Amino acid sequence: MEKLKIGVLGSGKGSNYRAIQEEIVRGKLNAETRVVISDVKEAGILAAARAYGVRAEYVQPGRFKTKLEPEAEARVVELLCGAGVELVVLAGYMRMVKAPLLEAFPGRIINIHPSLLPAFPGLEAWKQALAAEAGETGCTVHFVDSGMDTGPVIAQRRVPVLAGDTAERLHARIQVAEHEVYPEVVRGFAEGIFGGAEIVKARGGK
Ligand code: GRF
């Protein structure tokens, strides 16, 4: 099978991106990162991409905090399409995805969220889990739709909340699980196990 061409969007340190890229480098994931895009100029994820020799692009987000300016999102679509991206991987991308991007990649955008959705959507989900005194939490990989962390679930990993956990410790434990499950899910797409007709079509199938 041909390599799955992925494009990654992130706003932060990029540890999930690195976990995926490491699997590619090790020859354990039949994929190729065509471009990494960030709305944060100094984001670690862009530095990580450059360190791997992967194209890194900053897109100026514009005046909104929770979404990209329409022109900026159009630029993101242009970059992804121009790079021949088949699957868009959100990895710590801190804005809502809007119509231009959703319409350009229907059924082909995935995200990772640090809770067992539908529990604790939104920001700092591990802090929400602590505040709710949940006995366990985890992480979820899901398809992206126009809602906040609402798309169909693809895979989840459970993580215990331990006595005396701080927000940092719990988040770190969730991230260990994220770094296992996200590359596995991308591998599922690369091997045709996950993904619907949209992916098959994007990859030249019928
Ligand atoms: C992760 O915890 C992910 O679940 C959330 O944002 C964080 C990104 O971390 N969406 P990183 O930039 O991949 O290290």
Side-chain angles (χ1 to χ4, degrees):
M1 229 187 238
E2 292 232 348
K3 284 184 184 172
L4 175 71
K5 301 180 190 76
I6 66 169
V8 182
L9 257 71
S11 313
K13 63 183 194 293
S15 68
N16 279 285
Y17 160 63
R18 278 185 271 121
I20 291 168
Q21 194 66 46
E22 277 299 311
E23 288 290 281
I24 294 174
V25 170
R26 286 196 209 112
K28 297 203 169 139
L29 171 51
N30 190 28
E32 182 188 347
T33 310
R34 301 296 283 248
V35 64
V36 172
I37 303 170
S38 184
D39 56 328
V40 178
K41 204 170 193 176
E42 305 304 326
I45 195 168
L46 290 180
R50 286 187 206 105
Y52 284 111
V54 168
R55 183 175 169 203
E57 295 279 349
Y58 164 65
V59 171
Q60 203 168 12
R63 73 205 130 121
F64 304 115
K65 275 216 158 60
T66 58
K67 62 177 184 179
L68 291 176
E69 192 88 31
E71 292 73 25
E73 191 155 85
R75 174 71 186 138
V76 168
V77 171
E78 189 181 288
L79 285 167
L80 293 168
C81 291
V85 166
E86 295 159 344
L87 179 71
V88 180
V89 176
L90 305 188
Y93 178 64
M94 298 306 287
R95 291 171 194 264
M96 300 286 289
V97 173
K98 292 290 160 189
L101 184 49
L102 285 173
E103 281 165 14
F105 291 88
R108 294 196 285 141
I109 309 176
I110 61 174
N111 181 45
I112 188 153
H113 181 79
S115 77
L116 297 173
L117 290 172
F120 313 129
L123 291 177
E124 300 190 317
W126 60 93
K127 288 191 184 167
Q128 297 184 47
L130 277 182
E133 298 180 15
E136 67 169 8
T137 181
C139 57
T140 302
V141 181
H142 64 95
F143 284 104
V144 173
D145 63 13
S146 58
M148 163 102 76
D149 306 318
T150 49
V153 170
I154 302 167
Q156 295 187 307
R157 284 288 182 284
R158 307 170 105 77
V159 171
V161 179
L162 302 179
D165 256 350
T166 60
E168 292 68 32
R169 267 163 41 192
L170 180 56
H171 189 212
R173 195 176 310 118
I174 293 171
Q175 285 228 289
V176 172
E178 290 184 340
H179 300 160
E180 287 170 14
V181 72
Y182 218 4
E184 273 174 32
V185 167
V186 176
R187 187 178 301 115
F189 278 93
E191 292 175 1
I193 296 162
F194 293 137
E198 298 90 354
I199 295 275
V200 175
K201 197 166 151 226
R203 302 192 76 189
K206 292 203 182 98

